[in-house]
Amino acid sequence: MDEIIKLKDNIIRIKEQYREKRDEKAQELTKKIMDYFELANMDDFAKLTTEQLVEAEILFASDINMPILDETLLPLDPYEAYESGAYKDINIVLGTNKDECNTLIAVTSKAEQEIITNQLYEVLKTQANNEDMKILNDFIAQEKTTNNLDFSMSILEAWNYINFHIPAIKLCQAVTKGAGQARYYFWNCKSPLQYLGASSCIEHSFLFGHKELQREFGVVIDSHVSDVFSQMLVNFM
């Protein structure tokens, strides 16, 4: 675990490189959305409906994955704000799911799964130096030996740690350096759709016994787990 945390710290380097380009990326993304909806100016942009914004999110979300700074709403990068203590002392609750990345392979064949995980591996290689790759490859070997995971599942597990578990824990630690309190949960209750495991966002279906999601998937949510999870959030608020 210590080694994979080190890998995560090293990979933050790419965020620094991305920060230099994010204003340019934000302008490119804005232009794509304006062209797609045939908008004349920013006044038209401001009139987009919720449905249109959701459509744009689905179409263009992968184009940018960093916060865009401005002088009003987000004057500082969140990482910088927490690292420097320049944030209000508010309480937060956040967590991660054990199998966050399972949604990437939930409805694919074994062959497609291997293609996807190899692509993830190549992305990691572009972000990592030789030392990082040694850590990653050692982690994959360890997962194979200890948890009997094949290459594909080991890559997903590394991706879970690097992009979900470790950042969430570090954010909680940063918040508690001030007067704010943080509650962290680690979701390990599997989806009734077993192939998903405890995948990304699956806890939402347990929140207040979400009836619509239950109908959509044709399953019955464990009412006890739903009550415990919902009550935890209510108590926190």
Side-chain angles (χ1 to χ4, degrees):
M1 175 63 76
D2 289 342
E3 289 298 293
I4 205 72
I5 289 175
K6 182 179 178 182
L7 174 60
K8 171 61 184 177
D9 290 340
N10 290 347
I11 286 178
I12 287 176
R13 288 192 311 271
I14 199 165
K15 294 185 180 294
E16 299 296 336
Q17 299 167 10
Y18 198 102
R19 283 171 180 151
E20 298 174 1
K21 299 181 179 179
R22 62 183 163 195
D23 289 343
E24 175 186 338
K25 289 287 186 181
Q27 292 172 11
E28 291 176 2
L29 179 58
T30 301
K31 185 178 185 308
K32 284 184 180 181
I33 295 174
M34 293 186 72
D35 289 346
Y36 180 77
F37 290 112
E38 300 181 346
L39 308 176
N41 50 48
M42 291 306 294
D43 288 336
D44 288 346
F45 195 103
K47 294 175 184 177
L48 289 175
T49 65
T50 301
E51 289 76 14
Q52 287 173 314
L53 291 173
V54 170
E55 183 179 358
E57 165 73 14
I58 294 171
L59 289 171
F60 305 116
S62 62
D63 286 13
I64 189 166
N65 60 1
M66 287 289 288
I68 303 304
L69 307 188
D70 59 36
E71 297 179 358
T72 306
L73 297 177
L74 194 62
L76 281 176
D77 182 282
Y79 277 97
E80 295 169 357
Y82 282 111
E83 287 168 0
S84 64
Y87 61 94
K88 291 186 177 180
D89 292 326
I90 60 173
N91 299 333
I92 67 167
V93 56
L94 80 164
T96 55
N97 297 358
K98 179 180 179 297
D99 307 308
E100 290 281 2
C101 294
N102 270 22
T103 46
L104 293 172
I105 61 166
V107 292
T108 61
S109 66
K110 181 66 176 176
E112 291 172 322
Q113 174 188 332
E114 290 176 354
I115 292 173
I116 292 171
T117 50
N118 273 292
Q119 289 173 341
L120 290 178
Y121 186 72
E122 292 302 315
V123 169
L124 287 169
K125 282 172 64 176
T126 66
Q127 301 179 6
N129 58 27
N130 290 336
E131 180 186 7
D132 296 334
M133 288 311 299
K134 182 180 184 306
I135 294 170
L136 177 59
N137 290 326
D138 287 347
F139 178 84
I140 293 170
Q142 176 183 313
E143 289 299 306
K144 180 179 180 179
T145 302
T146 307
N147 298 317
N148 199 30
L149 296 183
D150 62 17
F151 177 80
S152 293
M153 294 308 296
S154 296
I155 286 292
L156 287 177
E157 190 68 2
W159 204 253
N160 283 333
Y161 277 107
I162 292 168
N163 290 290
F164 294 94
H165 306 330
I166 295 170
I169 292 170
K170 287 197 167 188
L171 179 57
C172 282
Q173 291 171 335
V175 169
T176 55
K177 289 178 181 177
Q181 297 182 13
R183 175 169 291 178
Y184 173 81
Y185 66 84
F186 183 77
W187 188 268
N188 193 24
C189 185
K190 290 180 171 53
S191 164
L193 303 176
Q194 289 300 312
Y195 61 82
L196 283 175
S199 61
S200 180
C201 298
I202 197 63
E203 77 275 25
H204 294 179
S205 59
F206 287 82
L207 186 59
F208 305 117
H210 203 302
K211 302 296 183 184
E212 184 176 337
L213 286 172
Q214 291 186 49
R215 286 195 298 271
E216 180 179 347
F217 289 116
V219 297
V220 177
I221 299 298
D222 187 311
S223 59
H224 174 69
V225 175
S226 176
D227 289 345
V228 170
F229 183 52
S230 302
Q231 196 61 48
M232 182 198 80
L233 297 181
V234 170
N235 289 344
F236 183 84
M237 293 184 286

